[in-house]
Amino acid sequence: MSTVASAKEARKPKSTPRLENRQRPIWLRRVRHRLSGVLLIAFTLFMLLPILMIVNLSLRPATDRATGALDPPSHLAWSNYVDVFHQMNYLSSAGNTLLITAASATLVVLTGSSSAWAIARHTRGWTTWAYRLFLSGLTIPVFVLLTPLFVLMRDLNLLDNLLSVILANSALNLPLAVVFYSSFLRSVPTELEDAAAVDGCGLFGTYWHIVLPLLAPATATVTIFISLATWNDLILPLVFLSSPEKTTVILSVYDFLGIGGRFQTAQLFPAVVLASLPLFILFLVLQRHIVAGITAGMGKG
Amino acid sequence: MRFTNRSAILFMLPAAALFGLFVVYPTMRGLAMSLTDAQGVVGGNFVGPANYVRLLHDVDFANALRNTLLFAAVIVIVQNALGIAIASWMRNQNGVRKLVRSTLLLPTMMAFVVVGYVWSFVYSPLGGPINSLLTFVHLGSLQQVWLGDTKTALLAIAATSIWMYLGYTTTIYLAGYLSIPSDVSEAATIDGATGWARFRYIDWPLLAPALTVSITLSSIGSLRIFELPFVMSGGGPAGATDTLSYLVYRISFNAFNFGYGTAIATGLLIVTAVLAAVVTTLLRRREVSA
Amino acid sequence: MHRRWTLSFAVLMAVSAITSCSSGSGSPSGPTVLTVAAWKGGGNEIAGMDQLNLAFQQAHPEYKLEYKYINNAAFDTYIATRLAAGEAPDVFMADRYKMLKWYQQGSLADLSDQPWVSRLIPNLKIFNSIKGKTYQLNSENAALGMYVNLDLLKQAGIDHAPATWTELLADLNTLKAKSINGLFLPNKGGWSGITLSMMLAANLVDKDWAGKYDSGQSAFNPTWSPVIEKIKQLLTSGTVDPKLMLGLGPWDDGPAQFKAGKWAFLLQGAWELSDFAKNATLNFSLNAFPGNDSGTPKTFTFVGAGWVVNSHAKNSPGAKAYLNFLSQPTNAAVFLQAETAFSTLVDVESPAVPQAQPVLATFKSGNTVPSAMEQLNFTDDETQLGNAIQTIFVNPSVSTASVLQTLDSQIPKTPIG
């Protein structure tokens, strides 16, 4: 490394066309920094163009004749949102989806973390194999197990019951949690847990009072991953649920798609915005924890 | 530590029960179907490896396999390269970083179906935004029928997938960057390391853990690609964007040929498992030596 | 911190409690539940079902109708899993493809003794019966044809819709010379290619061809050669840009462009008509596709959207009552009107919609044939046909023989099990 540096040092006395950054006047560095920041925001906005388009079109009255995707609407048609809100039975469907997501996340966090703790702290042959089995769960395409799973739910009398979606969904998301928690735990020293043992805390007590709180950043991350996967999942709710009062938000969005997938922007787009809104809010709230979690979980792999 | 075999089993029991009952058991049954001639509820006679033999000669399977691997290659490489680039760009921007990070994740929160339809519109050859933009900046000659041309359809759909998950990948790499010990960063700056040299000798090795996570996740995820081709191109034109998952869906649920469908799904599973194993091993080795 | 987890446990318990008290279907005394699932009757595909369901409920208070609309793309997944577990609805919507698949599963109830069977139009037998037994009540015989924008034609100095193939090609050239958009053939996903080839086949291939296919007495090669040749001719005429068309969608771009009055010709089904008619300034008609030079163009109909009864229906009498209700002339007419479809029952008149006059005349004079693809037993035949035609769009100078050979090998002759 210092060879590179010294090579550069050696070249400096002669007039170099490019000054090293730290040699430039402060004001220039500031300007570059600012410019870089502005460009970054510009890039982000560019990435967001399709979403801006969706929001824009969602507020366009159905009677507008405009064709450009980013042409502003003649007036903000909030009525689109109101209509869609009712057609989607939003409170009910969002409520169901929220329930499924919260329950799945809780289930996965609890079962995943307890498993991962055992795997990370009790390294035996069989726990390694258990870990590998969980890992392989990430590779299974859902269509393989869909029909047998449906028959199983039928036999358990859980059809048209939100619980079937919760259980199936949790099981399918477990591998990710186990893998993540294991990797996180492996980079955490056992001092706190040992101390708890010395203090006479049982295994369960240690888990509940020490390990879980310790895992908080990883939990935030796992929660957001599972929420992303669950919220927009179409297959499980489609197959397991039938009654109209059990519908989820993504299924209601699907109702706005006609044959061959055609739709009215004044219907589908407000539906999409409404559907994604709770996720976005959840993310904003958990934001800080997520990065902390990913950072920590990645520290030593 | 203080775990005994018995207590370890106890702690793993809930997860094992959930996973075993709702994933492992149905998967076993599903895979078993691939050894039968099941057509929905009829058939179901054991035919041994007949479905797999048929698979090896199936032109549609070969085509879908080729497309799937191509999708994965493009997505993994481009998404990760862009992710690293943007993360390094964001690294020094303390102010805007939080805003950028959350907004880049917005695409990930939208349902596949809707993303597919919106981007189909974006790619539309009749006044779609991309072609309009190209005309606007006098690059009209670069206009394509993005989803209708066998040469561009797969790349166009891959681009959409990358758009969806770039924020995800960038977050992982940003965290990776942020976990580079500050004394190492400072030492590097003092030494005058900038630009490409800095990246190659300092950042790249220290990003190894992030690389492992991101490449593993993006490989596994992109091999399963189904909804986007389904919505945006119907697997066309002329099968140019047909993927293994889509093929499984068509054969199992359109033609009711569960036996053969699950054989293809097993094929996909094997491909994924092999690739994941290879990727993880290579990347883990890098991590250790870094 | 602990409170958070306790809260989560509470959530989990609450979920189990809430969800477990919501199963059960109907009390022993009182109306029995009747479950129906269809890809019409909801969302943007109402087809008059809302009105019909209401009327049914009023006429039959002894049944509690639970009607579920499922998006067409998700329908197969919805039904397949439920059938496999014996949880499918009492009545569900079907077409011939689905009827064949479900028949082979043993999932369809034999409806041969139902009162409406004798009222079904005789030449539709293949679309509702298998091996002599009736399994389906066909609700619509939907014509597909060529929509013609009469105003655009007038602008180009053409005063009537083309009635022969040569006229069509000439008109397309005239339109192009006047910079007016001609034939819109959006083929993303392959549907327009399928439709075009079948319209040509209706004109150029013997109508008995389809019935002989699965017994091995007919094949694509060489009988469909004229069809492929004409497609190639069209795509190399300079009036249709195949590459552009591959990037446009038949269900969104197609109707939207035609409804906005931007194209002179569009191949679509009669079901789009009522939507097109909403544009009061659009002066159009629906004609048979001029696929030959005889002067009497023919077109084909698709016998879609019928109803079948679950062989393991929990409410068999209710299911049969529902079908019977839908088959009553006044009720059947409601559906036909909403879909602008031809009747499937001998005592029900096909709705007379002014723009559909030409195609109705074709129907009445016996110049429509039922969909050839629908008559073949290989249920994925349309997908294969779509792929094959797309290869022509990709390369219009592809060898006709190779396309025909591909079709014969990818659409195997399938006897009904």
Side-chain angles (χ1 to χ4, degrees), chain B residues 79-93:
Chain B
Q79 195 170 304
N80 282 283
L82 274 180
I84 294 179
I86 296 171
S88 78
W89 192 3
M90 276 167 76
R91 184 209 350 208
N92 295 322
Q93 297 284 345

PDB file of all heavy atoms in Angstrom, chain B residues 79-93:
ATOM      1  N   GLN B  79     -26.438  -5.970 -10.826  1.00  0.00           N
ATOM      2  CA  GLN B  79     -27.007  -5.452  -9.586  1.00  0.00           C
ATOM      3  C   GLN B  79     -25.938  -5.260  -8.523  1.00  0.00           C
ATOM      4  O   GLN B  79     -25.937  -4.262  -7.797  1.00  0.00           O
ATOM      5  CB  GLN B  79     -28.081  -6.415  -9.078  1.00  0.00           C
ATOM      6  CG  GLN B  79     -28.972  -5.824  -8.024  1.00  0.00           C
ATOM      7  CD  GLN B  79     -30.155  -6.740  -7.743  1.00  0.00           C
ATOM      8  OE1 GLN B  79     -30.891  -7.089  -8.653  1.00  0.00           O
ATOM      9  NE2 GLN B  79     -30.314  -7.123  -6.513  1.00  0.00           N
ATOM     10  N   ASN B  80     -25.030  -6.207  -8.416  1.00  0.00           N
ATOM     11  CA  ASN B  80     -23.991  -6.097  -7.400  1.00  0.00           C
ATOM     12  C   ASN B  80     -22.966  -5.031  -7.749  1.00  0.00           C
ATOM     13  O   ASN B  80     -22.530  -4.273  -6.884  1.00  0.00           O
ATOM     14  CB  ASN B  80     -23.323  -7.455  -7.181  1.00  0.00           C
ATOM     15  CG  ASN B  80     -24.184  -8.358  -6.323  1.00  0.00           C
ATOM     16  OD1 ASN B  80     -24.254  -8.208  -5.114  1.00  0.00           O
ATOM     17  ND2 ASN B  80     -24.873  -9.278  -6.969  1.00  0.00           N
ATOM     18  N   ALA B  81     -22.608  -4.953  -9.030  1.00  0.00           N
ATOM     19  CA  ALA B  81     -21.659  -3.914  -9.429  1.00  0.00           C
ATOM     20  C   ALA B  81     -22.233  -2.532  -9.145  1.00  0.00           C
ATOM     21  O   ALA B  81     -21.579  -1.678  -8.552  1.00  0.00           O
ATOM     22  CB  ALA B  81     -21.326  -4.071 -10.908  1.00  0.00           C
ATOM     23  N   LEU B  82     -23.486  -2.325  -9.568  1.00  0.00           N
ATOM     24  CA  LEU B  82     -24.134  -1.045  -9.317  1.00  0.00           C
ATOM     25  C   LEU B  82     -24.269  -0.788  -7.823  1.00  0.00           C
ATOM     26  O   LEU B  82     -24.061   0.337  -7.349  1.00  0.00           O
ATOM     27  CB  LEU B  82     -25.527  -1.019  -9.950  1.00  0.00           C
ATOM     28  CG  LEU B  82     -25.600  -0.602 -11.409  1.00  0.00           C
ATOM     29  CD1 LEU B  82     -27.052  -0.623 -11.872  1.00  0.00           C
ATOM     30  CD2 LEU B  82     -25.037   0.802 -11.586  1.00  0.00           C
ATOM     31  N   GLY B  83     -24.612  -1.835  -7.092  1.00  0.00           N
ATOM     32  CA  GLY B  83     -24.800  -1.682  -5.655  1.00  0.00           C
ATOM     33  C   GLY B  83     -23.528  -1.204  -4.980  1.00  0.00           C
ATOM     34  O   GLY B  83     -23.542  -0.276  -4.176  1.00  0.00           O
ATOM     35  N   ILE B  84     -22.420  -1.812  -5.347  1.00  0.00           N
ATOM     36  CA  ILE B  84     -21.137  -1.403  -4.768  1.00  0.00           C
ATOM     37  C   ILE B  84     -20.834   0.031  -5.166  1.00  0.00           C
ATOM     38  O   ILE B  84     -20.445   0.860  -4.339  1.00  0.00           O
ATOM     39  CB  ILE B  84     -20.012  -2.338  -5.236  1.00  0.00           C
ATOM     40  CG1 ILE B  84     -20.230  -3.745  -4.692  1.00  0.00           C
ATOM     41  CG2 ILE B  84     -18.664  -1.798  -4.790  1.00  0.00           C
ATOM     42  CD1 ILE B  84     -19.173  -4.730  -5.144  1.00  0.00           C
ATOM     43  N   ALA B  85     -21.028   0.327  -6.435  1.00  0.00           N
ATOM     44  CA  ALA B  85     -20.711   1.675  -6.924  1.00  0.00           C
ATOM     45  C   ALA B  85     -21.512   2.735  -6.172  1.00  0.00           C
ATOM     46  O   ALA B  85     -20.953   3.722  -5.687  1.00  0.00           O
ATOM     47  CB  ALA B  85     -20.987   1.770  -8.421  1.00  0.00           C
ATOM     48  N   ILE B  86     -22.819   2.507  -6.077  1.00  0.00           N
ATOM     49  CA  ILE B  86     -23.649   3.503  -5.416  1.00  0.00           C
ATOM     50  C   ILE B  86     -23.338   3.577  -3.932  1.00  0.00           C
ATOM     51  O   ILE B  86     -23.308   4.654  -3.342  1.00  0.00           O
ATOM     52  CB  ILE B  86     -25.139   3.200  -5.645  1.00  0.00           C
ATOM     53  CG1 ILE B  86     -25.428   3.320  -7.124  1.00  0.00           C
ATOM     54  CG2 ILE B  86     -26.015   4.171  -4.876  1.00  0.00           C
ATOM     55  CD1 ILE B  86     -26.791   2.843  -7.482  1.00  0.00           C
ATOM     56  N   ALA B  87     -23.087   2.428  -3.313  1.00  0.00           N
ATOM     57  CA  ALA B  87     -22.764   2.440  -1.891  1.00  0.00           C
ATOM     58  C   ALA B  87     -21.489   3.225  -1.639  1.00  0.00           C
ATOM     59  O   ALA B  87     -21.403   4.001  -0.689  1.00  0.00           O
ATOM     60  CB  ALA B  87     -22.644   1.009  -1.378  1.00  0.00           C
ATOM     61  N   SER B  88     -20.503   3.044  -2.504  1.00  0.00           N
ATOM     62  CA  SER B  88     -19.263   3.788  -2.286  1.00  0.00           C
ATOM     63  C   SER B  88     -19.494   5.273  -2.525  1.00  0.00           C
ATOM     64  O   SER B  88     -18.891   6.128  -1.890  1.00  0.00           O
ATOM     65  CB  SER B  88     -18.143   3.254  -3.174  1.00  0.00           C
ATOM     66  OG  SER B  88     -18.299   3.724  -4.481  1.00  0.00           O
ATOM     67  N   TRP B  89     -20.393   5.567  -3.418  1.00  0.00           N
ATOM     68  CA  TRP B  89     -20.752   6.956  -3.687  1.00  0.00           C
ATOM     69  C   TRP B  89     -21.438   7.553  -2.464  1.00  0.00           C
ATOM     70  O   TRP B  89     -21.159   8.674  -2.061  1.00  0.00           O
ATOM     71  CB  TRP B  89     -21.695   6.986  -4.874  1.00  0.00           C
ATOM     72  CG  TRP B  89     -21.977   8.318  -5.486  1.00  0.00           C
ATOM     73  CD1 TRP B  89     -21.459   9.520  -5.150  1.00  0.00           C
ATOM     74  CD2 TRP B  89     -22.861   8.544  -6.570  1.00  0.00           C
ATOM     75  NE1 TRP B  89     -21.955  10.500  -5.966  1.00  0.00           N
ATOM     76  CE2 TRP B  89     -22.828   9.924  -6.838  1.00  0.00           C
ATOM     77  CE3 TRP B  89     -23.689   7.717  -7.357  1.00  0.00           C
ATOM     78  CZ2 TRP B  89     -23.594  10.503  -7.854  1.00  0.00           C
ATOM     79  CZ3 TRP B  89     -24.438   8.297  -8.349  1.00  0.00           C
ATOM     80  CH2 TRP B  89     -24.387   9.688  -8.591  1.00  0.00           C
ATOM     81  N   MET B  90     -22.278   6.736  -1.853  1.00  0.00           N
ATOM     82  CA  MET B  90     -23.040   7.224  -0.712  1.00  0.00           C
ATOM     83  C   MET B  90     -22.219   7.286   0.556  1.00  0.00           C
ATOM     84  O   MET B  90     -22.572   7.964   1.514  1.00  0.00           O
ATOM     85  CB  MET B  90     -24.209   6.262  -0.433  1.00  0.00           C
ATOM     86  CG  MET B  90     -25.430   6.491  -1.262  1.00  0.00           C
ATOM     87  SD  MET B  90     -26.555   5.101  -1.116  1.00  0.00           S
ATOM     88  CE  MET B  90     -27.258   5.401   0.479  1.00  0.00           C
ATOM     89  N   ARG B  91     -21.143   6.571   0.534  1.00  0.00           N
ATOM     90  CA  ARG B  91     -20.413   6.376   1.771  1.00  0.00           C
ATOM     91  C   ARG B  91     -20.027   7.679   2.441  1.00  0.00           C
ATOM     92  O   ARG B  91     -20.116   7.834   3.641  1.00  0.00           O
ATOM     93  CB  ARG B  91     -19.175   5.531   1.498  1.00  0.00           C
ATOM     94  CG  ARG B  91     -18.440   5.228   2.740  1.00  0.00           C
ATOM     95  CD  ARG B  91     -16.961   5.021   2.621  1.00  0.00           C
ATOM     96  NE  ARG B  91     -16.389   4.919   1.352  1.00  0.00           N
ATOM     97  CZ  ARG B  91     -15.279   4.226   1.153  1.00  0.00           C
ATOM     98  NH1 ARG B  91     -14.755   3.542   2.149  1.00  0.00           N
ATOM     99  NH2 ARG B  91     -14.729   4.214  -0.025  1.00  0.00           N
ATOM    100  N   ASN B  92     -19.576   8.611   1.633  1.00  0.00           N
ATOM    101  CA  ASN B  92     -19.075   9.852   2.215  1.00  0.00           C
ATOM    102  C   ASN B  92     -20.154  10.910   2.371  1.00  0.00           C
ATOM    103  O   ASN B  92     -19.887  11.992   2.859  1.00  0.00           O
ATOM    104  CB  ASN B  92     -17.957  10.418   1.333  1.00  0.00           C
ATOM    105  CG  ASN B  92     -16.770   9.480   1.331  1.00  0.00           C
ATOM    106  OD1 ASN B  92     -16.458   8.907   2.361  1.00  0.00           O
ATOM    107  ND2 ASN B  92     -16.143   9.331   0.181  1.00  0.00           N
ATOM    108  N   GLN B  93     -21.336  10.592   1.905  1.00  0.00           N
ATOM    109  CA  GLN B  93     -22.391  11.599   1.926  1.00  0.00           C
ATOM    110  C   GLN B  93     -23.252  11.402   3.148  1.00  0.00           C
ATOM    111  O   GLN B  93     -24.348  10.877   3.074  1.00  0.00           O
ATOM    112  CB  GLN B  93     -23.259  11.462   0.650  1.00  0.00           C
ATOM    113  CG  GLN B  93     -22.500  11.717  -0.609  1.00  0.00           C
ATOM    114  CD  GLN B  93     -22.263  13.185  -0.831  1.00  0.00           C
ATOM    115  OE1 GLN B  93     -22.891  14.011  -0.188  1.00  0.00           O
ATOM    116  NE2 GLN B  93     -21.350  13.499  -1.715  1.00  0.00           N
TER     117      GLN B  93
END
